[in-house]
């Protein structure tokens, strides 16, 4: 039974309406008004109001080449994500392969690793002239044909895929564990072999989940700014995020940037719509009840080949990039004479001598802490309105809160710029506009975490307290919030971690006083400071690792079980 805020017994409606109103105003300021400003700006050009910006975006090779490259990148990343994610899911869910926990953690670590740090690591290994592995293959082993140029579409696809295959893995794994084993058993009783059963029974049942994961990988791939800037720009492979970023060089082309951002939004919304359609089909997958646990396939000796494949993915996606960054961070000059030049000077430089780093770390920690707190607070309000009131339009409010799921970070930054530059409030270059960007972008996570927690609380508990005369504030403080606390804390960490590594929105909104950790890493990389960049990247990973450790210890491991129906947040 829902409790209406209009006539609660023993409550203070004024507080309820005040909180309800604050949630509505927050969503208006964070999402609706910036997007409306983005739309308005897209129709304004030097020749007046019209479609000139869209005409330029769709006819100039400069822009449709970027669109083609983004689509090409998304397509190949989607394909490779399936080729890696499905075997991972099958190995963990339906086979007797050893090391399942290791395989699962490989996917989770890949999912949480900042893409731009992985890109920097691969540049250190596979840069055409100075990449360590390339130099070793060419100058030591004299096998130049085994070198790999990371500054290419292939390199960009590879680096991006390492962070996107977990989308396919997690969704496919969940679907495989949900399939009723009786269907497969019936097929085998009727004489179907294992391979035929897998292809004709199991695969069709999990196909919607695989396709949904592929579409999420596609959306995530085209939205990444960091890896596309680090690899794509030197390779002269423009993409939508990097082209939007370049439009803010002097003189800024706000109208064209807005039009290009809207094209970007249309692509992501279309992909997310398709993803939802496929997820809706998942409801037709039969769920196993008691006694219908999925069968584990005995692979025999073949299980070692499957494990070897998973270990290879671990080496490429986790061990190689992470160990490379650590090795570079301790070297005087990155190269084959690594062991003769070990030093801590790079850490001294970035932590003591380079004042910007300390400022960036402090800014990032402050922004992540405040953004996570505000996001969870807004999420709790929106979910309370949705689930505990009969407020007209509450469903619309919930949908508005989920809109940022389809907005890449750089588009959110453009929308905020267009909106706040049109107001007399001087927010550009302040911490406030970064905070607005982070909260607006990650508010879906806050809403989802709060809704999940609130749904688990029987409303009769709150209703009983209020019937006994407890004011609404007391009921919320003594009953609702304590019961929601574990879920809200998990949501807080789910926002804190991506904000620490956020780059795509920050790169347009930061100033010298509000520089963040991810931007500091990117700026050092652009300046050619290879070794200090690696040291700062390691510092970044340590902070992220500490946050993940907290999530595991205090959040019941919910971070690793994050619902990934939404695009990966915090994508840089």
């Amino acid at each position: 039974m829902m409790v209406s805020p209009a006539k609660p017994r023993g409550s203070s409606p004024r507080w309820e309406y005040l909180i309800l109103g604050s949630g509505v105003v927050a969503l208006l300021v964070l999402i609706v008004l910036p997007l409306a400003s983005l739309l308005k700006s897209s129709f304004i050009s030097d020749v007046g109001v019209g479609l000139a910006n869209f005409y330029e975006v769709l006819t100039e090779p400069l822009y449709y080449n970027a669109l083609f490259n983004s689509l090409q990148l998304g397509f190949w990343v989607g394909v490779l994500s399936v080729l890696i994610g499905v075997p991972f899911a099958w190995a963990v869910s339906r086979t007797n392969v050893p090391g399942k926990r290791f395989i699962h953690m490989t996917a989770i670590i890949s999912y949480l690793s900042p893409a731009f740090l992985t890109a920097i690591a691969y540049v250190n290994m596979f840069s055409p002239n100075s990449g360590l592995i390339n130099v070793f293959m060419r100058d030591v082993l004299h096998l130049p044909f085994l070198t790999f140029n990371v500054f290419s579409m292939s390199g960009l696809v590879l680096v991006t895929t390492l962070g996107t295959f977990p989308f396919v893995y997690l969704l496919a794994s969940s679907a495989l564990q949900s399939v009723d084993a009786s269907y497969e058993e019936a097929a085998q009783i009727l004489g179907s072999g294992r391979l035929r059963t897998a292809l004709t029974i199991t695969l069709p049942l999990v196909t919607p989940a695989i396709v949904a994961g592929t579409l999420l990988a596609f959306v995530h791939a085209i939205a990444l700014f960091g890896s596309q800037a680090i690899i794509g720009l030197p390779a002269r492979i423009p993409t939508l995020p990097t082209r939007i970023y370049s439009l803010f060089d002097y003189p800024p082309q706000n109208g064209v940037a807005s039009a290009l951002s809207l094209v970007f939004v249309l692509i992501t919304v279309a992909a997310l719509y398709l993803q939802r359609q496929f997820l809706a089909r998942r409801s037709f997958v039969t769920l196993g009840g008691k006694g219908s646990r999925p069968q584990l396939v005995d692979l025999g000796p073949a299980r070692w080949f499957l494990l070897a494949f998973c270990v290879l993915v671990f080496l490429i996606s986790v061990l190689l990039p992470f160990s490379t960054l650590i090795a570079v961070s301790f070297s005087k000059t990155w190269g084959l004479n690594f062991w003769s030049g070990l030093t801590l000077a790079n850490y001294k430089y970035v932590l003591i001598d380079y004042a910007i780093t300390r400022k960036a770390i402090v800014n990032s920690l402050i922004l992540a802490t405040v953004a996570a707190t505000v996001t969870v607070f807004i999420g709790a309000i929106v979910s309370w309105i949705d689930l505990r009131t009969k407020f007209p339009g509450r469903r619309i409010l919930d949908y508005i809160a989920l809109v940022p799921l389809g907005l890449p970070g750089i588009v959110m930054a453009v929308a905020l710029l267009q909106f706040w530059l049109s107001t007399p409030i001087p927010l550009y270059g302040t911490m406030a506009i970064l905070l607005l960007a982070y909260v607006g972008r990650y508010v879906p996570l806050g809403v989802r975490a709060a809704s999940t927690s609130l749904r688990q609380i029987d409303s009769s508990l709150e209703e009983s307290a209020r019937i006994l005369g407890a004011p609404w504030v007391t009921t919320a403080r003594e009953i609702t919030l304590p019961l929601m606390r574990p879920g809200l804390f998990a949501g807080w960490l789910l926002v804190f971690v991506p904000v620490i590594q956020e780059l795509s929105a920050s790169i347009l909104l930061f100033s010298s006083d509000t520089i963040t950790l991810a931007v500091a890493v990117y700026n050092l990389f652009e300046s050619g400071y290879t070794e200090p960049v690696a040291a700062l990247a390691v510092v970044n990973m340590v902070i992220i690792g500490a946050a993940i450790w907290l999530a595991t210890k205090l959040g019941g491991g919910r971070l690793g079980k994050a619902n990934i129906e939404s695009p990966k947040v915090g994508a840089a």
Side-chain angles (χ1 to χ4, degrees), residues 19 79 106 129 215 225 259 266 418 440:
I19 293 177
V79 171
T106 297
N129 297 321
L215 288 169
F225 171 80
L266 286 177
Q418 303 292 1

Side-chain angles (χ1 to χ4, degrees), residues 308-474:
F309 170 77
C310 297
V311 170
L312 178 64
V313 174
F314 168 77
L315 291 175
I316 295 174
S317 65
V318 178
L319 185 61
L320 205 53
F322 279 45
S323 58
T324 298
L325 284 177
I326 293 171
V328 176
S329 71
F330 285 108
S331 64
K332 288 181 181 176
T333 303
W334 180 236
L336 294 178
N337 58 346
F338 163 72
W339 293 109
S340 62
L342 294 178
T343 180
L344 291 173
N346 299 316
Y347 286 95
K348 177 178 177 294
Y349 175 75
V350 297
L351 294 176
I352 298 175
D353 301 336
Y354 189 51
I356 291 177
T357 302
R358 296 194 299 277
K359 185 186 296 181
I361 292 174
V362 171
N363 286 343
S364 288
L365 289 175
I366 292 174
L367 285 167
T369 303
V370 177
T373 305
V374 174
T375 300
V376 168
F377 181 71
I378 294 173
I381 294 175
V382 173
S383 61
W384 176 74
I385 294 173
D386 183 29
L387 300 175
R388 290 292 194 267
T389 76
K390 295 180 180 178
F391 176 66
R394 61 187 186 281
R395 301 294 182 197
I396 296 176
L397 207 61
D398 188 55
Y399 282 125
I400 291 174
L402 296 179
V403 165
L405 286 178
L407 297 179
I410 201 159
V411 173
M412 178 67 81
V414 174
L416 283 171
L417 275 177
Q418 303 292 1
F419 175 64
W420 289 106
L421 288 178
S422 65
T423 70
I425 304 173
L427 281 187
Y428 182 69
T430 67
M431 294 277 275
I433 198 167
L434 284 167
L435 184 63
L436 289 170
Y438 297 155
V439 174
R441 191 175 178 203
Y442 301 125
V443 76
L445 281 184
V447 172
R448 182 159 297 179
S451 295
T452 302
S453 298
L454 198 56
R455 287 179 191 278
Q456 295 173 341
I457 302 172
D458 193 336
S459 60
S460 63
L461 295 174
E462 301 156 343
E463 191 179 0
S464 299
R466 299 177 69 176
I467 290 173
L468 293 173
W472 178 84
V473 174
T474 303

